């Protein structure tokens, strides 16, 4: 797999990022209780928990904090797991699957609590609409609501087409499931806030310190071009940017490129005419489009996931027709930013976590819902290192198959996605 790269930088998030301190590269050999590879939500969450508990923590980031999916995603805070409950229940049983859902709910609360505790300015807003692109899918929304009701998550409402059109300035959808307990924010500013919290707790972050070797044995270490960290424990938190760094994990996740565009500022009236209450929106297709407005009244529109390494030449021109299919009234607006980046999916769309050895932990493959879940998995790895592993062990019981196909696995997945695009279009 080629090394993941940014597309059409700078992103809107980079252009509006909170000024934050830089972190020097690792130079020389050092020691720590825990070395964390990856400066995104997962790694920083674990760093906060461990440093707060008195552990000496070093975080190694190949680029800059939030360079990967944590700073490039759609900013949508989702409920549960991408797989739904049935796949988890088929492996763990209904009661343990319910416990997993409770943990996913805790993930959203953890995010909310950290924003408040560390005073992170990231434009957090609640409210989420799952919009139906086809009128014959309303029964699916009702079943979704019933499942969540049974799990105790009841802050949901079914909206008719007419009710939805009062909230959205489009006639493209035929109803929606609204959540009050999901929402959106500025993902990079949240990540930068986590980094400040981690360093305030005592963790050390080294940017531009790409790991080139990881030893997960009895005396683990991580080596970079500039130095080496000897540690008691190692956490692998690279997600879609892992590559072949850890051979045992190669093939367990697949990098998928997601694209986002941001319009010019629209003004309050025009932005509210698109999304009246400022909620996050996503359609219910297998390959989703998602959108929301920003604090400075832009529309962010994302989707058009790519399951190959091919990239469009003009990303703004590539994405704008999808936006104007939903909002034809935006044909006249300029696209100020267009970017992309990799997210990681697993074969069953359930995050993959576990131990590589008694000294090495990993978590990745959030399959589009890592904004909340990544922080939780980081926290649970920290709990396990501190000696309380029950909650981490529950999630690590989920079995994961590698993607089939070996060297042709990405073309195979791209071919499979053609089926889902056709299904979305025809069903």
């Amino acid at each position: 797999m080629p090394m993941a790269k940014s597309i059409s930088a700078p992103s809107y998030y980079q252009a509006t990022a909170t000024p934050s301190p830089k972190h020097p590269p690792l130079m020389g050999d050092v020691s720590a209780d825990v070395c964390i590879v990856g400066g995104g939500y997962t790694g920083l969450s674990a760093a906060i928990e461990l440093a707060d508990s008195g552990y000496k923590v070093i975080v190694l980031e190949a680029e800059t904090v939030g360079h990967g999916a944590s700073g490039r995603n759609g900013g949508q805070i989702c409920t549960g797991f991408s797989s739904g409950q049935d796949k988890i229940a088929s492996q763990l049983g209904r009661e343990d699957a319910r416990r997993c859902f409770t943990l996913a709910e805790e993930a959203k609360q953890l995010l909310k609590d950290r924003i408040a505790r560390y005073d992170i300015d990231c434009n957090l807003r609640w409210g989420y609409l799952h919009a139906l692109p086809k009128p014959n899918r309303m029964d699916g929304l009702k079943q979704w609501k019933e499942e969540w009701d049974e799990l105790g998550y009841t802050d949901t409402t079914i909206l008719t087409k007419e009710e939805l059109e009062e909230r959205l300035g489009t006639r493209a959808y035929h109803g929606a499931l609204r959540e009050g307990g999901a929402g959106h924010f500025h993902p990079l500013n949240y990540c930068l806030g986590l980094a400040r919290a981690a360093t305030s707790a005592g963790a050390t972050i080294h940017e531009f310190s790409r790991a080139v070797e990881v030893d997960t044995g009895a005396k683990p270490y991580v080596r970079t071009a500039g130095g080496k960290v000897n540690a008691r424990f190692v956490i692998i938190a690279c997600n879609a940017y892992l590559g072949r760094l850890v051979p045992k994990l190669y093939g367990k996740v697949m990098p998928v490129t997601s694209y986002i565009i941001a319009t010019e500022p629209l003004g309050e009236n025009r932005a509210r005419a698109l999304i009246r209450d400022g909620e996050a929106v996503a359609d219910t297709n297998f390959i989703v489009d998602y959108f929301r407005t920003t604090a400075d009244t832009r529309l962010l529109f994302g989707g058009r996931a790519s399951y190959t390494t091919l990239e469009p030449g003009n990303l703004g021109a590539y994405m704008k027709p999808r936006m104007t299919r939903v909002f034809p009234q935006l044909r006249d607006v300029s696209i100020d930013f267009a970017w992309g980046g990799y997210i990681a999916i697993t074969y069953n769309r359930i995050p993959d976590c576990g131990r590589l050895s008694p000294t090495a932990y990993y978590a990745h493959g959030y399959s589009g819902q890592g904004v909340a879940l990544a922080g939780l998995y980081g926290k649970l790895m920290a709990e396990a290192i501190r000696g309380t592993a029950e909650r981490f062990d529950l999630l690590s019981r989920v079995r994961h198959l590698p993607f089939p196909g070996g060297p042709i696995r990405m073309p195979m997945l791209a071919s499979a996605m053609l089926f889902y695009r056709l299904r979305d279009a025809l069903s």
Side-chain angles (χ1 to χ4, degrees):
M1 185 193 78
M3 184 59 63
K5 57 184 176 180
S6 306
I7 304 167
S8 301
S11 69
Y12 166 75
Y13 302 133
Q14 291 168 310
T16 56
T18 302
S20 296
K22 304 302 181 184
H23 305 281
L26 176 69
M27 299 299 293
D29 290 6
V30 296
S31 298
D33 295 316
V34 185
C35 181
I36 299 171
V37 185
Y41 298 150
T42 306
L44 294 173
S45 177
I48 290 169
E49 297 290 328
L50 290 165
D52 269 343
S53 298
Y55 286 72
K56 183 179 180 182
V57 178
I58 292 178
V59 179
L60 301 178
E61 166 54 44
E63 300 288 343
T64 56
V65 166
H67 172 82
S70 295
R72 309 187 68 81
N73 65 75
Q76 303 214 354
I77 304 162
C78 300
T79 297
F81 298 86
S82 294
S83 63
Q85 285 293 106
D86 287 346
K87 284 187 178 180
I88 300 174
S90 69
Q91 291 202 38
L92 305 185
R94 289 289 170 189
E95 285 307 308
D96 279 346
R98 178 185 288 272
R99 293 186 182 96
C100 291
F101 185 83
T102 300
L103 285 173
E105 284 294 279
E106 180 183 325
K108 294 186 295 183
Q109 187 63 47
L110 176 65
L111 178 149
K112 182 178 179 181
D113 291 345
R114 283 180 170 164
I115 289 171
R117 178 180 177 184
Y118 301 117
D119 193 24
I120 301 175
D121 183 5
C122 57
N123 307 122
L124 176 65
R125 297 194 65 167
W126 295 104
Y128 199 110
L129 298 170
H130 301 273
L132 280 180
K134 298 291 178 67
N136 60 350
R137 299 184 189 175
M138 184 60 78
D139 285 347
L141 278 194
K142 293 176 180 177
Q143 292 169 6
W144 198 355
K145 175 176 169 51
E146 289 169 1
E147 178 182 89
W148 278 349
D149 285 347
E150 195 275 331
L151 290 165
Y153 179 57
T154 58
D155 191 2
T156 60
T157 307
I158 297 288
L159 302 177
T160 65
K161 180 176 176 62
E162 294 73 23
E163 290 170 330
L164 182 61
E165 288 175 2
E166 292 177 0
R167 294 171 177 266
L168 298 182
T170 178
R171 303 188 69 185
Y173 302 113
H174 300 269
L177 176 64
R178 182 189 184 276
E179 298 183 64
H184 63 93
F185 67 173
H186 190 300
L188 179 55
N189 280 344
Y190 176 64
C191 194
L192 294 171
L194 293 181
R196 290 191 296 273
T199 55
S200 294
T204 299
I205 299 173
H206 292 290
E207 296 178 312
F208 300 108
S209 299
R210 184 181 303 278
V212 297
E213 181 186 4
V214 178
D215 187 291
T216 60
K219 296 181 179 180
Y221 64 80
V222 181
R223 193 186 303 276
T224 72
K228 177 184 177 185
V229 181
N230 298 292
R232 294 167 51 208
F233 298 95
V234 170
I235 290 176
I236 308 299
C238 303
N239 205 37
Y241 293 73
L242 177 64
R244 296 180 181 269
L245 178 63
V246 182
K248 288 181 180 179
L249 297 179
Y250 182 70
K252 300 290 285 296
V253 296
M254 180 77 76
V256 175
T257 311
S258 184
Y259 306 118
I260 308 174
I261 54 177
T263 68
E264 63 185 296
L266 303 174
E268 288 290 343
N269 290 340
R270 198 171 187 187
R272 283 180 57 82
L274 299 178
I275 307 175
R276 186 191 70 188
D277 299 325
E279 296 153 314
V281 187
D283 67 32
T284 59
N285 282 330
F286 185 86
I287 302 172
V288 302
D289 286 335
Y290 51 88
F291 49 92
R292 62 188 182 87
T293 51
T294 65
D296 58 355
T297 73
R298 303 172 190 269
L299 182 75
L300 265 62
F301 192 98
R304 200 70 184 259
S306 172
Y307 293 81
T308 74
T309 56
L310 300 177
E311 300 168 0
N314 186 329
L315 186 53
Y318 179 72
M319 287 292 294
K320 188 173 180 180
R322 296 188 74 84
M323 179 185 74
T324 56
R325 186 180 64 185
V326 178
F327 295 114
Q329 63 269 45
L330 296 183
R331 289 194 182 99
D332 66 318
V333 307
S334 298
I335 303 302
D336 281 358
F337 299 92
W339 71 97
Y342 284 141
I343 61 173
I345 63 172
T346 61
Y347 192 70
N348 60 11
R349 302 303 192 272
I350 306 169
D352 176 29
C353 68
R355 297 174 180 81
L356 295 165
S357 71
T359 63
Y361 293 75
Y362 72 92
H364 57 190
Y366 305 110
S367 302
Q369 298 198 186
V371 169
L373 290 178
L376 172 77
Y377 278 73
K379 177 180 179 178
L380 297 188
M381 285 190 286
E383 287 182 2
I385 287 172
R386 293 197 306 255
T388 306
E390 289 84 357
R391 298 179 347 139
F392 178 77
D393 288 344
L394 169 64
L395 294 172
S396 68
R397 281 170 49 203
V398 176
R399 298 181 303 278
H400 290 272
L401 297 174
F403 282 89
I408 63 168
R409 65 196 183 103
M410 293 190 78
M412 286 182 64
L413 183 61
S415 297
M417 289 305 104
L418 289 176
F419 165 79
Y420 288 107
R421 291 186 195 277
L422 287 172
R423 190 186 73 174
D424 288 341
L426 299 175
S427 64

